[in-house]
Amino acid sequence: MSQTVYCRKYQQELEALPIPPLPGKKGQEIQASVSKQAWEEWQALQTRLINEKHLNMLEPSARAYLMEQMECFLDNRETDQAEGYVPRES
């Protein structure tokens, strides 16, 4: 049986991440407060942002930008979107 966590994005008990997604204290905080579903959705948005905005992940400013966007996404605040992105129709 998988563990659950009270997800800060969805405000309900959902499946937890099996391991911290980032190293250190930040990763532990995310594992304790973000569901697997929310983290997977963030990873998809993060990938679009990196690709569409041509972010160089070696630059500290790009990493700081993504951390800021991650916090906005997980707290249900407005995030930047990749220009020209059109979601697939189900």
Side-chain angles (χ1 to χ4, degrees), residues 31-51:
Q31 184 184 25
S33 65
V34 175
S35 67
K36 181 179 176 184
Q37 175 187 344
W39 187 254
E40 288 172 352
E41 290 172 7
W42 159 246
Q43 287 185 306
L45 175 58
Q46 173 181 253
T47 300
R48 288 193 305 271
L49 291 173
I50 291 169
N51 290 338

Side-chain angles (χ1 to χ4, degrees), residues 12-65:
Q12 60 180 322
E13 287 285 329
L14 294 169
E15 184 179 354
L17 290 164
I19 59 172
L22 299 172
K25 184 179 176 185
K26 188 65 177 173
Q28 292 172 347
E29 289 173 9
I30 291 170
Q31 184 184 25
S33 65
V34 175
S35 67
K36 181 179 176 184
Q37 175 187 344
W39 187 254
E40 288 172 352
E41 290 172 7
W42 159 246
Q43 287 185 306
L45 175 58
Q46 173 181 253
T47 300
R48 288 193 305 271
L49 291 173
I50 291 169
N51 290 338
E52 295 293 322
K53 295 186 179 291
H54 305 285
L55 299 178
N56 179 350
M57 297 314 298
L58 296 175
E59 294 177 8
S61 61
R63 294 191 306 270
Y65 166 76

Side-chain angles (χ1 to χ4, degrees), residues 51-86:
N51 290 338
E52 295 293 322
K53 295 186 179 291
H54 305 285
L55 299 178
N56 179 350
M57 297 314 298
L58 296 175
E59 294 177 8
S61 61
R63 294 191 306 270
Y65 166 76
L66 283 178
M67 290 299 285
E68 176 185 311
Q69 292 300 303
M70 177 188 75
E71 292 297 330
C72 290
F73 176 81
L74 295 175
D75 289 336
N76 291 312
R77 292 182 281 146
E78 189 172 333
T79 61
D80 289 348
Q81 296 297 316
E83 291 92 29
Y85 173 71
V86 179

